[in-house]
Amino acid sequence: MDLAYIPSPSTGVLHLGPLPLRGYAFCIIIGVFVGVWYGGKRWVARGGKVGTVADVAVWAVPFGLVGGRLYHVITDYQLYFSEGENWVDAFKIWEGGLGIWGAIALGAVGAWIGCRRRGIPLPAYADAIAPGIVLAQAIGRWGNWFNQELYGKPTDLPWALKISAGPNREAGLYHPTFLYESLWCVAVALLVVWADRRFKLGHGRVFALYVAAYCVGRAWIEYMRVDEAHHILGVRLNVWTAVLVFLLAVTYIVISSRLRPGREEIVEPDLDAKTDAKTDAKADTEADGETDSVADGTAEAKAGAKDGADSTDAGKTAAGKPGQS
């Protein structure tokens, strides 16, 4: 008899009248809000303006959702495009299925667009929002709990997750890998915040540290999962992805530290001050032009007066000399 375990929800959908509230979508939304809120606080602390993180997130979040879904559908295409499956299900994002690798990759493209529009450096923005992103992941993982998915191998530990019978799953007690990853993400957030304060990281190295640390935990958690996945040389695809991304992140930290040590002093130029400076410069130019015009007019008037005086003197001289013709 099992005396202790983590129960799973009897349903992943709550109905508020005619409006269905899906647990998976709710967790994603809450995670996004927390990530943007915390990222905004860090951005302002770095010298940025209030509202900038949210403005850029308007671009980054939709791109990230599309990227996450694309990665999932591409790497698990058999769930949607094999015989007997309905390809329309590939668009049902509320049923689960977001690949963090695709979300970060395409989300970075959206963030780059937003940063370009705001005139701010992408690396500085990425450093500010890195802890917020991993906290959003920690919250979003609970969406898997609502959907009873992405659990690990069978176990009899007191914190085992109880899964009920359903499509493509058997009832039993399993490792709660969603919980393991959620706790790991919280630990990564704390590590990144500490390292940023301790070493004053900059130029994208905070974000790279988050990526590297997350990959370490993701690699060993993947070994515990039993859901269907593609394998390369007997190893799950996401394990290979985690190893590759980890190496890229560490390489970036090393190279960036040598090429651009320290931290950015200015993360968001004062656009208003720039506009004022341009206006002042234009006014000074116009004032200088008016002064030059006045000076030129005065010089011309003096020259004209001198020419008139010279003509008068010449007339008088000629009149005083008789016999000349």
Side-chain angles (χ1 to χ4, degrees), residues 200-252:
K200 297 188 181 301
L201 303 176
H203 301 287
R205 290 187 287 276
V206 177
F207 186 85
L209 176 61
Y210 139 64
V211 171
Y214 171 75
C215 289
V216 172
R218 181 63 184 266
W220 69 264
I221 290 173
E222 278 290 328
Y223 273 111
M224 304 178 67
R225 286 169 51 171
V226 294
D227 55 299
E228 186 177 356
H230 293 286
H231 289 71
I232 299 177
L233 300 178
V235 179
R236 291 170 67 98
L237 174 61
N238 280 333
V239 174
W240 287 110
T241 305
V243 172
L244 175 61
V245 175
F246 170 82
L247 293 175
L248 291 175
V250 172
T251 300
Y252 178 86

Side-chain angles (χ1 to χ4, degrees), residues 23-41:
Y24 185 88
F26 183 73
C27 291
I28 297 297
I29 292 171
I30 294 299
V32 169
F33 273 105
V34 170
V36 172
W37 167 78
Y38 188 49
K41 288 178 64 69

Side-chain angles (χ1 to χ4, degrees), residues 30-96:
I30 294 299
V32 169
F33 273 105
V34 170
V36 172
W37 167 78
Y38 188 49
K41 288 178 64 69
R42 284 176 51 83
W43 181 254
V44 172
R46 287 284 304 274
K49 296 182 180 180
V50 176
T52 295
V53 168
D55 289 344
V56 177
V58 170
W59 291 90
V61 172
F63 273 73
L65 292 175
V66 172
R69 189 60 176 178
L70 281 175
Y71 181 89
H72 167 73
V73 172
I74 291 173
T75 56
D76 291 305
Y77 61 87
Q78 73 282 353
L79 300 177
Y80 308 101
F81 302 105
S82 60
E83 185 177 355
E85 302 294 344
N86 186 1
W87 63 271
V88 177
D89 292 341
F91 298 94
K92 297 179 179 178
I93 193 172
W94 56 86
E95 293 183 354

Side-chain angles (χ1 to χ4, degrees), residues 148 164 175 192 239 259 267 305 313:
Q148 296 195 46
S164 59
H175 277 285
V192 169
V239 174
L259 297 180
V267 297
D313 293 340

Side-chain angles (χ1 to χ4, degrees), residues 222-297:
E222 278 290 328
Y223 273 111
M224 304 178 67
R225 286 169 51 171
V226 294
D227 55 299
E228 186 177 356
H230 293 286
H231 289 71
I232 299 177
L233 300 178
V235 179
R236 291 170 67 98
L237 174 61
N238 280 333
V239 174
W240 287 110
T241 305
V243 172
L244 175 61
V245 175
F246 170 82
L247 293 175
L248 291 175
V250 172
T251 300
Y252 178 86
I253 292 174
V254 174
I255 296 177
S256 175
S257 299
R258 293 178 178 177
L259 297 180
R260 307 187 70 183
R263 175 189 286 181
E264 302 93 335
E265 295 183 0
I266 300 176
V267 297
E268 186 168 10
D270 191 343
L271 300 181
D272 294 335
K274 284 186 174 182
T275 302
D276 293 341
K278 290 181 179 179
T279 302
D280 293 341
K282 183 178 180 181
D284 291 341
T285 302
E286 293 176 351
D288 291 341
E290 292 176 358
T291 301
D292 292 341
S293 297
V294 173
D296 292 341

Side-chain angles (χ1 to χ4, degrees), residues 102-187:
I104 294 298
L106 208 55
V109 175
W112 176 78
I113 295 174
C115 287
R116 289 270 296 180
R117 292 172 62 89
R118 293 284 300 193
I120 60 178
L122 177 60
Y125 180 84
D127 284 344
I129 66 171
I133 291 177
V134 73
L135 286 178
Q137 290 178 239
I139 297 171
R141 270 303 174 202
W142 284 84
N144 302 130
W145 177 63
F146 280 99
N147 286 353
Q148 296 195 46
E149 60 184 0
L150 303 187
Y151 46 85
K153 300 175 182 178
T155 182
D156 56 358
L157 292 171
W159 55 85
L161 176 66
K162 186 175 184 179
I163 297 295
S164 59
N168 301 319
R169 67 174 187 249
E170 296 181 2
L173 297 178
Y174 301 88
H175 277 285
T177 50
F178 85 90
L179 178 61
Y180 298 161
E181 186 167 338
S182 180
L183 294 176
W184 180 259
C185 286
V186 173

